[in-house]
Amino acid sequence: MGMTPHSTEGLQVGTASELGGRQKQQDELLIRLDLAKTPDGRPVHLFGVFDGHGSEGHKAAAAVKKAFPTIVKSLLSKILSNPTEGLKEAYIQVHENLLEDSSIDAYMSGTTAVVALLIENQLLVSHVGDSRLIKISEENGVYTGQQITLDHTCDVTTEYERVKATGARVEQLQTGETVDGPLRIFKGSLPYPGIVVTRSLGDSVATRLGVLHEPAVQTLALEPQDRCIVLATDGLWDALSVKEATDIVAQHSDAQTAATELTNTGLTKLINLKLDDNTTTVVVRLDHASKNAATATSIAPTTAT
């Protein structure tokens, strides 16, 4: 369902989240406008989506959502001076907090994460797993979408090779003679954990199988033509391509309407594809980035690792 929209000066955020045929909601989203300020007084905004998996995935996603604002705020100085190392440290602390939480069994449960920090025209993007962030630009009335994050699954050669090097078994699920679905990671001949993503928070059994909690981190300098970013769990991306999502966003100037339309359209397509999954979407309009692009203080750009 559509949620209460968020806004601050020059910034508009819309969110939507739906069960999508599942009995339990394991997705979480995070919006913290004006989380903190940089030493020179610039506001720092925090956005995230988290897709839990396993029997206690809902608890894992909720715990991670709760932990990130405090940890990011405590590490902000390090994140600003070295985004890659600072955000990696944040993920280490979030991961360790999750494993130490006695109320959550994180042995075979965990969560993906896409976390973005927006500081005027600087966008710091970090992620583990297959939730995604895309950036949408517009020039002369033509909208173009770009996927910023790369899914951490065994479809990526470097991820697959790391997992296989541990002795893990990687294969699709088989029912009778039918083999279907994404590649999953198993411990030897055992029927578990069967995890799809090669990076996550939690999932302590899978860390022995090459599943990392280290994020890929990127720093982007937003340009005047950049109109918005979209963060969403894989329920949306299993249904919609980047172009389809871009075309929907292009039809709406209001972030909340765009987020609701994306989620509803994604759910309809999931039903047609006979798939069921939670779907959670955050749309952030970047109108303020255009105004501040010329004068913003730069953070050294980085690329995903």
Side-chain angles (χ1 to χ4, degrees):
M1 61 180 176
M3 298 180 176
T4 303
H6 304 256
S7 65
T8 188
E9 184 178 357
L11 186 63
Q12 186 188 100
V13 185
T15 64
S17 188
E18 293 286 352
L19 281 171
R22 296 283 179 92
Q23 293 186 348
K24 183 179 294 183
Q25 177 61 270
Q26 292 192 302
D27 287 357
E28 292 282 353
L29 63 86
L30 172 63
I31 309 294
R32 289 292 300 271
L33 300 178
D34 299 303
L35 172 74
K37 291 190 181 299
T38 64
D40 57 357
R42 293 174 294 149
V44 178
H45 308 299
L46 175 65
F47 310 100
V49 295
F50 312 99
D51 183 358
H53 49 258
S55 63
E56 301 212 340
H58 59 297
K59 292 183 181 180
V64 165
K65 169 187 175 177
K66 182 179 179 180
F68 260 111
T70 301
I71 290 173
V72 166
K73 197 170 182 178
S74 72
L75 291 170
L76 187 59
S77 177
K78 184 174 183 178
I79 291 170
L80 293 175
S81 62
N82 189 328
T84 297
E85 293 306 312
L87 284 165
K88 284 182 178 180
E89 176 61 27
Y91 276 68
I92 288 171
Q93 291 190 25
V94 170
H95 177 72
E96 290 179 347
N97 285 357
L98 179 56
L99 297 188
E100 292 169 2
D101 189 335
S102 61
S103 70
I104 303 172
D105 182 357
Y107 184 66
M108 287 198 294
S109 294
T111 183
T112 70
V114 175
V115 175
L117 289 170
L118 180 62
I119 308 165
E120 290 188 335
N121 75 317
Q122 300 291 326
L123 184 67
L124 312 183
V125 181
S126 60
H127 82 291
V128 291
D130 57 2
S131 297
R132 295 180 189 170
L133 183 149
I134 71 169
K135 177 171 67 75
I136 298 175
S137 307
E138 180 268 329
E139 289 190 85
N140 300 318
V142 178
Y143 285 78
T144 304
Q146 177 187 3
Q147 183 174 330
I148 302 302
T149 57
L150 175 68
D151 293 353
H152 292 139
T153 68
C154 287
D155 291 324
V156 178
T157 301
T158 52
E159 298 289 306
Y160 173 82
E161 290 177 347
R162 185 187 68 247
V163 167
K164 285 292 291 182
T166 69
R169 186 174 95 254
V170 178
E171 62 186 26
Q172 295 169 284
L173 290 179
Q174 182 169 350
T175 304
E177 298 297 320
T178 303
V179 177
D180 193 22
L183 291 170
R184 295 176 179 270
I185 301 166
F186 298 91
K187 186 177 180 180
S189 61
L190 299 172
Y192 67 85
I195 188 172
V196 172
V197 293
T198 54
R199 302 194 193 196
S200 70
L201 296 168
D203 298 297
S204 61
V205 67
T207 60
R208 307 166 195 174
L209 305 174
V211 175
L212 305 180
H213 56 271
E214 179 180 300
V217 179
Q218 300 177 72
T219 301
L220 307 177
L222 298 173
E223 301 293 340
Q225 65 267 24
D226 294 328
R227 293 289 179 259
C228 70
I229 59 172
V230 178
L231 302 83
T233 56
D234 70 332
L236 183 74
W237 306 118
D238 286 345
L240 299 180
S241 67
V242 172
K243 184 181 186 308
E244 289 170 326
T246 299
D247 290 344
I248 290 170
V249 171
Q251 297 172 27
H252 304 286
S253 60
D254 176 69
Q256 183 56 52
T257 305
T260 301
E261 183 67 17
L262 280 170
T263 300
N264 290 343
T265 304
L267 283 176
T268 299
K269 288 201 69 174
L270 283 177
I271 292 170
N272 293 338
L273 293 168
K274 298 182 178 180
L275 298 173
D276 61 86
D277 199 359
N278 304 148
T279 301
T280 296
T281 309
V282 175
V283 175
V284 184
R285 291 203 62 86
L286 298 173
D287 301 314
H288 79 301
S290 301
K291 293 182 288 185
N292 294 321
T295 58
T297 302
S298 296
I299 299 171
T302 63
T303 56
T305 57

